[in-house]
Amino acid sequence: MKTLAELKKLRDESLKKMTMRYTKDGFRVQVGMGTCGIASGARPILNEFLEQANLRELKNMTITQVGCMGECAYEPMAEIIDESGQSYVYCSLTIPIVREIIEKHIINHQPVTRYLLSTRKDK
């Protein structure tokens, strides 16, 4: 049985994670969590995006999971959509690649082209 203080701590941690997932401004990060994504290791990728955003106190990101992204051979994948609607799909992600994307793309606004599968602009 947990104490009241432990339960409050769990609640606060969960609320902090939920806030990170639903922020409306800035970058939107969507990690493919279809069956192929999960089998390829998408869960640790999603967790790394969340942890990096938390560690670096990035308030301009919405991080969420989506279903199949349609390119199973390139999983795990994540799509990053910036404020202007420009979409960047990163593929074959690993934990070090996620950290590099956070540092270069999210913080310094420089997409990491060597990991991109595609880009497009929303209309």
Side-chain angles (χ1 to χ4, degrees):
M1 183 112 187
K2 298 203 180 278
T3 66
L4 184 58
E6 290 172 326
L7 291 172
K8 285 181 179 178
K9 182 180 176 187
L10 286 173
R11 180 194 64 195
D12 292 343
E13 289 173 357
S14 293
L15 286 173
K16 191 174 180 181
K17 286 180 183 176
M18 288 173 60
T19 301
M20 249 190 292
R21 288 182 181 219
Y22 299 109
T23 301
K24 299 291 181 202
D25 299 329
F27 291 94
R28 187 173 53 188
V29 178
Q30 302 178 151
V31 178
M33 296 287 288
T35 305
C36 53
I38 292 170
S40 299
R43 174 68 62 195
I45 297 301
L46 174 66
N47 290 339
E48 186 66 17
F49 273 111
L50 290 167
E51 186 170 326
Q52 288 296 315
N54 185 35
L55 287 173
R56 297 168 187 253
E57 298 182 3
L58 300 173
K59 305 292 184 207
N60 64 340
M61 293 175 64
T62 301
I63 303 167
T64 189
Q65 63 186 51
V66 295
C68 180
M69 297 181 75
E71 296 288 343
C72 302
Y74 297 104
E75 294 283 357
M77 299 171 57
E79 181 177 20
I80 296 178
I81 304 168
D82 67 17
E83 299 97 343
S84 71
Q86 178 72 45
S87 167
Y88 303 87
V89 177
Y90 288 99
C91 63
S92 304
L93 295 174
T94 62
I95 301 298
I97 292 173
V98 169
R99 292 177 184 159
E100 186 175 349
I101 290 169
I102 292 283
E103 180 70 33
K104 292 181 178 172
H105 192 151
I106 303 296
I107 296 174
N108 295 313
H109 299 270
Q110 296 295 317
V112 187
T113 57
R114 67 179 174 271
Y115 305 124
L116 284 173
L117 181 64
S118 67
T119 62
R120 75 171 192 283
K121 175 83 173 171
D122 285 346
K123 296 175 186 171

